[in-house]
Amino acid sequence: MEISAGLIVAIILLALVAVTVFAGVKTVPQGQQWTVERLGKYIRTLTPGLSIIIPYIDRIGRKLSLMETVLDIPSQEVITRDNATVTADGVVFFQVLDPVKAAYEVQDLLFALSSLAMTNVRSVIGAMDLDEVLSQRDQINRRLLSVVDQATLAWGIKATRIELRNIQPPQNLLDSMAKQMTAEREKRAEILTAEGAKQASILRAEGAKQAAVLEAEGRMEAAKRDAEARERLAEAEAKATQMVSQAIADGNVAAMNYFVAQKYVEAFSKFAESPNQKLVFMPMEATGLLSSLGGIGELAKQAFGSEAAAKPVPRPWGGGSTP
């Protein structure tokens, strides 16, 4: 019986030693730091790796992560400066820089940080109009980060980023905004349509102006050409009259007959081409017209010489030619 009791005591002692050893050896994971308290007082911080403490006297106080941590900002209703109610929530990214302050300067770190973020969300959004809140989310995030980061320095943490995930106005306000957007788009469409019609009218007026200018220039050029043609025709007529007058002065009867026959034929042609006359009755002598034509032939012979007179003249009825 005595052997059995001694064996039991030895086993108990061995178990107590093993428990004591395990209680004194601590393995801290990477990215964490643990605080050590001796009889309730902080004495040191355990870094990642294997560490030894005094069992039953020292104990682990706080286990803190040094990695960047994400904390939700609960959803809450916020009243803007223009008395519009919006629902906002977000997230806070923070990192522990001083484990001792984070462990002993604040009672509940996560709850304190969440409450601080919610309070500042109400303060920042409450100082802005609704349009600014909806359009300047980046500015709100920067202001929140600046305020929260300053307030958490005493806690040994660093707020690295704050993001508002959702800013939701009430449904009636959303309906009003949708109507306003629709009206604004319709207004822009009407303005663009009016601008297009105005531009088209201007372009059409410019085209008509250019066409009128070109048409006027064309008429001016045509009138100039007609004047030049009439001037040359008058010069030719004057020259012909001068030649006929000179021939008459020289006693050339054929030249006079040519001149009279030309005017006679021109007058007769104008009567024949009159649009309001279908049948013309006028007295004329065929022998006088033939004699005038003969005068023209004589003038042509004198003008072109014997070579032109020697050429055969085709008969109009196709029966050969006459010399």
Side-chain angles (χ1 to χ4, degrees), residues 77-127:
E77 291 186 352
V78 183
I79 300 176
T80 63
R81 186 170 58 185
D82 53 353
N83 297 324
T85 303
V86 297
T87 303
D89 62 357
V91 290
V92 179
F93 296 82
F94 70 95
Q95 186 176 11
V96 176
L97 300 181
D98 190 342
V100 179
K101 291 183 178 181
Y104 301 108
E105 293 294 335
V106 60
Q107 179 65 33
D108 188 342
L109 178 62
L110 298 181
F111 177 75
L113 185 58
S114 176
S115 300
L116 179 64
M118 291 177 63
T119 302
N120 284 279
V121 166
R122 289 195 295 268
S123 299
V124 173
I125 294 180

Side-chain angles (χ1 to χ4, degrees), residues 184-197:
E184 185 67 24
R185 292 184 180 275
E186 292 177 354
K187 174 184 175 182
R188 292 180 182 177
E190 292 179 358
I191 291 175
L192 290 176
T193 303
E195 288 290 339

Side-chain angles (χ1 to χ4, degrees), residues 65-288:
S65 174
L66 301 183
M67 296 179 291
E68 190 172 9
T69 306
V70 181
L71 176 66
D72 283 336
I73 300 177
S75 177
Q76 59 179 331
E77 291 186 352
V78 183
I79 300 176
T80 63
R81 186 170 58 185
D82 53 353
N83 297 324
T85 303
V86 297
T87 303
D89 62 357
V91 290
V92 179
F93 296 82
F94 70 95
Q95 186 176 11
V96 176
L97 300 181
D98 190 342
V100 179
K101 291 183 178 181
Y104 301 108
E105 293 294 335
V106 60
Q107 179 65 33
D108 188 342
L109 178 62
L110 298 181
F111 177 75
L113 185 58
S114 176
S115 300
L116 179 64
M118 291 177 63
T119 302
N120 284 279
V121 166
R122 289 195 295 268
S123 299
V124 173
I125 294 180
M128 304 174 68
D129 294 334
L130 178 62
D131 293 338
E132 296 176 346
V133 172
L134 296 178
S135 62
Q136 300 180 7
R137 184 172 299 189
D138 292 339
Q139 182 179 353
I140 297 175
N141 294 335
R142 288 194 297 269
R143 294 176 61 180
L144 285 174
L145 179 60
S146 176
V147 174
V148 173
D149 188 37
Q150 285 292 115
T152 55
L153 288 178
W155 299 344
I157 63 175
K158 170 73 174 176
T160 58
R161 187 169 53 184
I162 297 179
E163 297 287 343
L164 291 179
R165 290 183 301 189
N166 186 27
I167 300 177
Q168 185 69 30
Q171 187 60 40
N172 57 351
L173 186 58
L174 289 177
D175 295 338
S176 300
M177 292 172 63
K179 293 179 180 179
Q180 180 181 0
M181 184 183 301
T182 302
E184 185 67 24
R185 292 184 180 275
E186 292 177 354
K187 174 184 175 182
R188 292 180 182 177
E190 292 179 358
I191 291 175
L192 290 176
T193 303
E195 288 290 339
K198 175 183 176 182
Q199 191 67 23
S201 300
I202 292 174
L203 292 177
R204 283 195 295 268
E206 288 290 337
K209 175 182 176 182
Q210 292 293 333
V213 169
L214 292 176
E215 184 179 358
E217 291 179 353
R219 289 197 303 269
M220 183 176 67
E221 186 67 22
K224 186 185 296 183
R225 298 294 178 87
D226 291 341
E228 291 179 357
R230 288 193 299 269
E231 182 180 357
R232 292 183 181 180
L233 182 60
E235 291 178 356
E237 186 72 19
K239 187 175 181 181
T241 303
Q242 183 181 2
M243 293 177 63
V244 172
S245 299
Q246 184 66 33
I248 294 172
D250 294 338
N252 192 344
V253 181
M256 184 174 61
N257 291 335
Y258 165 74
F259 184 74
V260 174
Q262 182 183 9
K263 297 299 182 180
Y264 191 85
V265 171
E266 289 178 359
F268 187 73
S269 299
K270 291 180 180 180
F271 275 111
E273 293 174 357
S274 177
N276 56 356
Q277 294 293 336
K278 300 301 181 181
L279 183 61
V280 178
F281 294 96
M282 60 180 295
M284 70 175 181
E285 296 178 358
T287 56

Side-chain angles (χ1 to χ4, degrees), residues 19-70:
V19 171
T20 302
V21 170
F22 281 109
V25 177
K26 300 297 180 181
T27 302
V28 181
Q30 181 66 37
Q32 293 186 5
Q33 289 187 3
W34 296 354
T35 61
V36 179
E37 299 175 356
R38 178 171 294 175
L39 301 177
K41 181 182 179 179
Y42 167 78
I43 57 172
R44 64 191 177 100
T45 302
L46 301 181
T47 57
L50 184 64
S51 301
I52 297 176
I53 63 174
I54 300 175
Y56 311 116
I57 298 178
D58 297 342
R59 70 181 184 89
I60 302 299
R62 301 285 190 277
K63 297 180 179 180
L64 299 173
S65 174
L66 301 183
M67 296 179 291
E68 190 172 9
T69 306
V70 181

